[in-house]
């Protein structure tokens, strides 16, 4: 507690001193830089320095931005489909309690939506309409000290704001009686005192799913975002509500059951599980973002967000949660220096608890302080930066027993340093060092139910970026993680059978609970890619990732090889897009225990999606007609095994019409 108090005093003193005692040099601008209605439609986009999501120059290779143009070209099935396109991203589809998920370089990540620090992305994110997304930014590892608690990375999703009078309808229909209708309307009004804008949208999505697979879904959602922009103040508010259900797909049993006499029962291998449960999900969330430019050089940003997620299933098992987060940051630009200082509060409540501590109330808060500084020199060719973050947890309820407590955890710290050097207009070199501490995941349990030590991870990253030509833009990154007390596979007692196992299935929630223990693990890898534009109509991009760990279980449990490829073609009013993803094999140990350990290999698939279309005018209104196909190779791959393999449904097709009213 004493260290945390010292850190708090240091940050408050630094803010007071810089804000009141340091006269920041005025920037050569006619007026302050504004966080106004910046529509992220360009193929390349960089956050302005006053944005709460702006990161240092040395983080360039750790950031990947998907703009509105790129998202429309990809035509993703859902938000997870879009996330899978990022380099080094491994996505797991389907599940029981926790439906979808992903990892970045083999590490977990968090998602921020319009400033909302989301707590249950695995359940509802699939139903978030991609038609309301303006941009998605993937931030990897040690670049993210100012975004949230010590973590392995973030995905930042921004929703659309209106930049003019707009309105329209988007309708689609495809395989398995899948339909979606999306209607929207927005406007921007410029006045003498400032600019007002708003955008509203409603979406309805329904699918019967594949026959006998129990994977249907239905969601209705409403979205609103409005803003006010002036030279002296900026503010916007966003609200999202959705209600629907998602059936829990039946897995295909691929592993024989071990009987008491030591023999194997193969009778159900190859058949689907009998479960026909579903999750009813309702979500409401609101975010407020306020920005005050005090001068050309100083800006304060305030963010508040609240989310309410209600989840229940056939067994009336509730997994509701509530979250709030508040952040306040001040940014100062003086000469060639940018200083960011601020704090954050994140509240999370789960009244009924979550597996593996189901029935034990979760009520916890995280208090954070951060400081980051970046200095540029040599005519902006060289930049150096450094930052520190302190996170301290407060528990209203014990994370182990769920009983009321008044307890502060020891603070955890993260810090990072980076440098970037631009040799010339063609080449630049980036390097970063980071250190962070992380606690036990909500979905992991030690064998005896006790807490395990915090992970302590040191990260080294170096990368090179080459802008050789508009048609050839290669990049490469090397990374090395040294993790002390990393959570790896362990063994414990199955509360249902009393056997010693590595994991078990929660009978109420259907979730897979994996026992873990602490071990030191080193992970290393390489990522490289190339992109460019060939002539005017054809653009391409390709990325490849390889990672490996010195722990056999960690190595076997992640796809070591990943690659993505995209090709976009536009000629006059015709367009065509192709994307491909590959995830290498990984082993899952669904049962384990004294009767033998059986492994099933998931992953090891290539999925190819494509779409083709034409832009025209109907009744003098812009119209876009698209025909699409997904999983063109009809591969029934699986990315998870929990009681059975959750296979992909295979080849899907459909058509979409987008019509503008204005």
């Amino acid at each position: 507690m004493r260290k945390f108090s010292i850190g708090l005093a240091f940050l408050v003193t630094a803010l007071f001193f810089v804000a009141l005692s340091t006269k920041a040099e005025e920037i050569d601008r006619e007026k302050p830089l504004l966080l106004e209605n910046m529509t992220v439609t360009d193929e390349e986009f960089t956050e302005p320095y006053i944005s709460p999501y702006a990161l240092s120059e040395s983080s360039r290779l750790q950031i990947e931005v998907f703009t509105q143009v790129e998202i429309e070209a990809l035509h993703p099935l859902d938000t997870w489909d879009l996330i899978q396109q990022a380099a080094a991203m491994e996505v797991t589809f389907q599940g029981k309690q926790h439906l979808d998920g992903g990892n970045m370089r083999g590490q977990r990540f968090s998602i921020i939506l319009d400033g909302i620090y989301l707590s249950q992305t695995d359940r509802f994110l699939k139903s978030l309409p991609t038609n309301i997304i303006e941009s998605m930014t993937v931030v990897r590892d040690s670049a993210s000290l100012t975004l949230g608690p010590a973590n392995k990375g973030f995905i930042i999703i921004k929703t659309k704001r209106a930049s003019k009078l707009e309105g329209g309808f988007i309708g689609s229909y495809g395989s398995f009686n899948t339909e979606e209708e999306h209607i929207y309307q927005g406007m921007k009004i410029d006045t003498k005192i400032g600019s007002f804008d708003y955008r509203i949208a409603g979406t309805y999505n329904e699918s019967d799913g594949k026959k006998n697979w129990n994977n249907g879904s239905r969601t209705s959602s409403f979205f609103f975002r409005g803003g006010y922009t002036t030279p002296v103040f900026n503010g916007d508010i966003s609200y999202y509500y959705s209600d629907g259900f998602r059936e829990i797909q039946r897995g295909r049993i691929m592993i024989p059951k071990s009987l008491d006499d030591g023999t194997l029962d193969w009778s159900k291998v190859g058949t689907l599980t009998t479960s026909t449960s579903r999750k009813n999900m309702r979500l409401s969330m609101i975010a407020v973002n306020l920005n005050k430019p005090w001068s050309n050089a100083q800006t304060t940003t305030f963010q508040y967000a609240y989310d309410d997620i209600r989840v229940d299933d056939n067994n009336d098992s509730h997994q509701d949660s509530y979250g709030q987060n508040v952040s306040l940051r001040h940014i100062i630009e003086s000469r060639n220096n940018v200083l960011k200082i601020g704090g954050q509060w994140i509240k999370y409540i789960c009244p009924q608890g979550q597996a593996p501590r189901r029935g034990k109330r979760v009520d916890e808060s995280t208090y954070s302080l951060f400081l980051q500084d970046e200095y540029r020199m040599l005519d902006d060719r060289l930049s150096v930066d450094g930052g520190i973050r302190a996170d301290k947890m407060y528990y209203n309820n014990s994370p182990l027993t769920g009983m009321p407590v008044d307890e502060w955890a020891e603070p955890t710290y993260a810090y990072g340093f980076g440098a970037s050097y631009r040799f010339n207009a063609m080449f630049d070199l980036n390097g970063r060092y980071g250190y962070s501490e992380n606690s036990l995941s909500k979905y992991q349990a030690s064998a005896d139910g006790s807490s395990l030590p915090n992970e302590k991870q040191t990260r080294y990253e170096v990368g090179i970026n080459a802008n050789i030509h508009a048609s050839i833009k290669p990049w490469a990154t090397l990374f090395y993680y040294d993790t002390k007390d990393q959570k790896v596979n362990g063994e414990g007692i199955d509360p249902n059978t009393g056997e010693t196992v590595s994991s078990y299935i929660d009978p109420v929630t259907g979730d897979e609970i994996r026992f873990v223990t602490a071990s030191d693990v080193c992970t290393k890898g390489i990522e490289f890619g190339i992109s460019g534009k060939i002539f005017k109509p054809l653009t391409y991009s390709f990325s490849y990732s390889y990672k490996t760990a010195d722990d056999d279980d960690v190595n076997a449990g992640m796809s070591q090889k990943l690659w993505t490829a995209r090709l976009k073609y536009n000629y006059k009013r015709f367009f065509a897009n192709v994307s491909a993803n590959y995830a290498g094999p990984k082993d899952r140990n669904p049962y384990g225990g004294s009767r033998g350990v059986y492994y099933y290999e998931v992953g090891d698939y290539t999925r190819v999606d494509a779409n083709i279309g034409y832009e025209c005018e109907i009744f003098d209104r812009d119209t876009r007609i698209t025909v699409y196909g997904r999983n063109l190779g009809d591969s029934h791959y699986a990315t998870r095994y929990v009681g059975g393999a959750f296979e992909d449904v295979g080849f899907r097709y459909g058509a979409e019409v987008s019509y503008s009213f204005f």
Side-chain angles (χ1 to χ4, degrees):
M1 184 68 182
R2 182 173 179 271
K3 291 182 179 179
F4 190 76
S5 300
I6 294 173
L8 173 62
F10 168 73
L11 290 179
V12 172
T13 302
L15 176 61
F16 180 80
F17 175 78
V18 176
L20 298 182
S21 303
T22 302
K23 183 177 179 181
E25 182 174 312
E26 294 293 314
I27 306 169
D28 186 20
R29 300 190 184 99
E30 295 181 358
K31 59 181 180 180
L33 181 62
L34 303 179
L35 274 180
E36 54 183 321
N37 186 18
M38 296 174 294
T39 304
V40 188
T41 57
D42 298 330
E43 293 187 3
E44 294 186 5
F45 175 78
T46 302
E47 292 281 355
Y49 78 94
I50 63 170
S51 168
Y53 310 119
L55 297 169
S56 61
E57 184 69 18
S58 66
S59 305
R60 178 184 300 196
L61 290 181
Q62 316 310 327
I63 301 171
E64 185 174 3
V65 180
F66 292 83
T67 66
Q68 185 176 327
V69 171
E70 292 170 320
I71 296 172
E72 289 177 352
L74 286 167
H75 200 76
L77 174 66
D78 52 52
T79 306
W80 283 110
D81 219 16
L82 174 61
I83 291 174
Q84 190 183 29
Q85 301 295 327
M89 182 67 68
E90 182 182 355
V91 174
T92 56
F93 297 101
Q94 299 296 339
K96 291 190 175 182
Q97 183 67 11
H98 303 286
L99 304 178
D100 303 292
N103 65 75
M104 188 187 302
R105 293 180 176 174
Q107 314 281 333
R108 67 184 185 268
F109 56 84
S110 299
I111 293 181
I112 300 173
L113 175 64
D114 285 345
I116 304 171
Y117 192 87
L118 299 176
S119 58
Q120 292 197 39
T121 57
D122 50 356
R123 288 171 174 153
F124 93 91
L125 196 62
K126 184 180 179 69
S127 61
L128 182 72
T130 57
N131 288 315
I132 70 172
I133 297 177
E134 180 179 274
S135 69
M136 183 184 79
T137 302
V138 179
V139 183
R140 290 185 280 269
D141 300 320
S142 57
S144 54
L145 291 178
T146 61
L147 296 179
N151 208 301
K152 305 299 196 306
F154 286 87
I155 293 179
I156 301 166
I157 298 175
K158 293 183 180 180
T159 57
K160 294 178 180 177
R161 287 180 65 176
S163 58
K164 60 181 180 180
L165 177 63
E166 61 177 28
F169 172 82
I170 302 174
S172 65
Y173 184 81
S175 304
F176 313 122
N177 197 27
T178 301
E179 62 174 291
E180 179 171 304
E181 294 82 36
H182 176 81
I183 188 168
Y184 64 94
Q185 197 273 319
M187 179 183 292
K188 183 178 180 182
I189 304 171
D190 294 318
T191 69
K192 293 182 179 179
I193 61 173
S195 298
F196 298 86
D197 66 88
Y198 73 88
R199 193 177 194 274
I200 57 175
T203 306
Y204 177 82
N205 181 289
E206 183 175 16
S207 176
D208 290 344
K210 193 168 184 175
K211 187 177 180 180
N212 296 325
W213 279 37
N214 195 63
N215 62 344
S217 63
R218 183 177 68 238
T219 304
S220 301
S221 66
F222 171 80
F223 167 75
F224 168 82
R225 185 167 183 182
Y228 173 65
T229 302
T230 71
V232 296
F233 177 79
N234 306 288
D236 74 80
I237 182 172
S238 60
Y239 173 77
Y240 178 78
Y241 174 85
S242 69
D243 189 6
F245 71 85
R246 181 172 168 188
E247 294 176 337
I248 307 306
Q249 181 173 315
R250 299 169 65 185
R252 188 173 300 280
I253 300 172
M254 302 301 292
I255 296 177
K257 183 178 180 180
S258 182
L259 302 179
D260 292 335
D261 60 5
T263 61
L264 299 177
D265 179 6
W266 293 80
S267 61
K268 293 185 178 181
V269 172
T271 66
L272 295 174
T273 57
T274 58
S275 173
T276 56
S277 63
R278 77 177 193 181
K279 295 293 178 188
N280 303 303
M281 296 176 284
R282 185 171 73 250
L283 165 72
S284 58
M285 56 187 184
I286 188 169
V288 178
N289 296 274
L290 306 176
N291 177 264
K292 170 62 179 176
W294 301 100
S295 69
N296 289 5
Q298 299 202 42
T299 305
T300 300
T301 301
F302 171 83
Q303 293 179 298
Y304 171 79
Y306 174 83
D307 66 90
D308 181 339
I309 302 176
R310 308 292 177 95
V311 181
D312 64 78
D313 57 23
N314 301 21
N315 299 320
D316 198 31
S317 173
H318 292 272
Q319 293 284 287
D320 303 340
S321 67
Y322 314 91
Q324 294 186 77
N325 66 276
V326 177
S327 67
L328 179 67
R329 69 194 73 210
H330 189 74
I331 301 174
I332 302 171
E333 183 171 32
S334 175
R335 299 181 182 273
N336 296 322
N337 194 78
V338 176
L339 174 67
K340 300 178 182 181
I341 186 169
Q344 191 174 40
W345 171 71
I346 298 174
K347 177 75 171 179
Y348 176 72
I349 299 175
C350 186
Q352 291 83 24
Q354 288 185 326
R357 300 178 180 89
R358 180 174 49 83
K360 301 175 181 178
R361 178 183 173 89
V362 178
D363 188 342
E364 58 190 36
S365 300
T366 304
Y367 297 83
S368 307
L369 297 167
F370 57 84
L371 174 70
Q372 184 159 330
D373 189 74
E374 180 178 16
Y375 185 76
R376 303 190 183 200
M377 61 193 84
L378 302 180
D379 294 327
D380 288 345
R381 293 175 60 189
L382 174 64
S383 72
V384 293
D385 63 87
I388 184 171
R389 182 183 183 95
D391 298 314
K392 189 172 180 64
M393 297 282 292
Y394 171 75
Y395 298 102
N396 277 318
N397 291 79
S398 168
L400 297 178
T401 67
M403 299 299 293
V405 295
D406 179 6
E407 182 177 287
W408 286 92
E410 288 296 316
T412 59
Y413 295 93
Y415 48 85
F417 304 94
S420 175
Y421 182 73
R422 179 163 296 177
F423 295 96
N424 48 46
M426 187 177 297
F427 295 99
D428 58 84
L429 182 68
N430 301 278
R432 290 197 63 82
Y433 165 84
Y435 171 85
S436 65
E437 302 173 6
N438 291 277
S439 58
L440 193 69
S441 167
K442 296 182 180 68
Y443 316 120
Q444 297 173 329
S446 59
D448 59 1
S450 63
S451 60
L452 292 173
N454 290 338
E455 289 185 355
K456 302 175 180 63
Q457 186 175 84
T458 304
R459 302 189 289 271
Y460 306 89
E461 303 168 12
V462 62
I464 188 168
N465 186 58
N467 189 6
I468 298 174
H469 187 267
S471 61
I472 305 176
K473 298 180 180 179
W475 59 271
T477 301
L478 293 170
F479 64 90
Y480 180 85
Y481 299 163
D482 184 4
T483 310
K484 306 300 181 184
D485 296 318
Q486 180 169 325
K487 307 309 178 290
V488 299
N489 291 342
E491 288 188 342
I493 303 300
D494 185 335
N496 307 306
T497 65
E499 295 182 3
T500 301
V501 295
S502 58
S503 65
Y504 67 92
I505 304 298
D506 188 302
V508 177
T509 65
D511 193 23
E512 178 190 29
I513 309 303
R514 302 192 67 83
F515 288 109
V516 296
T517 187
S519 178
D520 295 346
V521 180
C522 292
T523 304
K524 57 186 176 182
I526 182 173
E527 300 157 1
F528 66 83
I530 186 170
S531 62
K533 179 178 292 187
I534 303 175
F535 304 112
K536 186 175 181 180
L538 185 65
T539 60
Y540 72 95
S541 66
F542 173 83
S543 69
Y544 174 86
S545 169
Y546 175 80
K547 56 186 179 294
T548 184
D550 60 2
D551 182 279
D552 291 339
D553 286 338
V554 173
N555 223 24
M558 65 182 182
S559 295
Q560 294 178 272
K561 298 177 183 178
L562 302 165
W563 60 257
T564 66
R566 299 191 293 273
L567 192 66
K568 180 172 68 174
Y569 178 79
N570 289 84
Y571 180 72
K572 295 184 178 179
R573 296 193 172 206
F574 290 94
F575 61 88
N577 302 276
V578 179
S579 64
N581 294 86
Y582 171 77
K586 62 179 180 180
D587 289 335
R588 295 298 290 162
N589 168 215
Y591 301 113
S594 58
R595 296 178 183 170
V597 179
Y598 305 102
Y599 288 91
Y600 179 74
E601 187 178 86
V602 296
D604 194 19
Y605 68 89
T606 301
R607 197 189 80 188
V608 180
D609 301 340
N611 65 78
I612 187 171
Y614 181 72
E615 295 177 339
C616 59
E617 291 185 354
I618 298 178
F619 302 120
D620 295 325
R621 296 291 181 259
D622 292 338
T623 305
R624 182 183 176 98
I625 302 171
T626 307
V627 177
Y628 62 85
R630 295 191 175 94
N631 195 351
L632 300 184
D634 195 30
S635 172
H636 296 281
Y637 61 87
T639 59
R640 297 192 69 191
Y641 194 113
V642 184
F646 296 107
E647 298 176 324
D648 188 83
V649 296
F651 174 59
R652 303 180 64 174
Y653 60 90
E656 179 183 276
V657 176
S658 175
Y659 185 79
S660 176
F661 298 152
F662 303 104

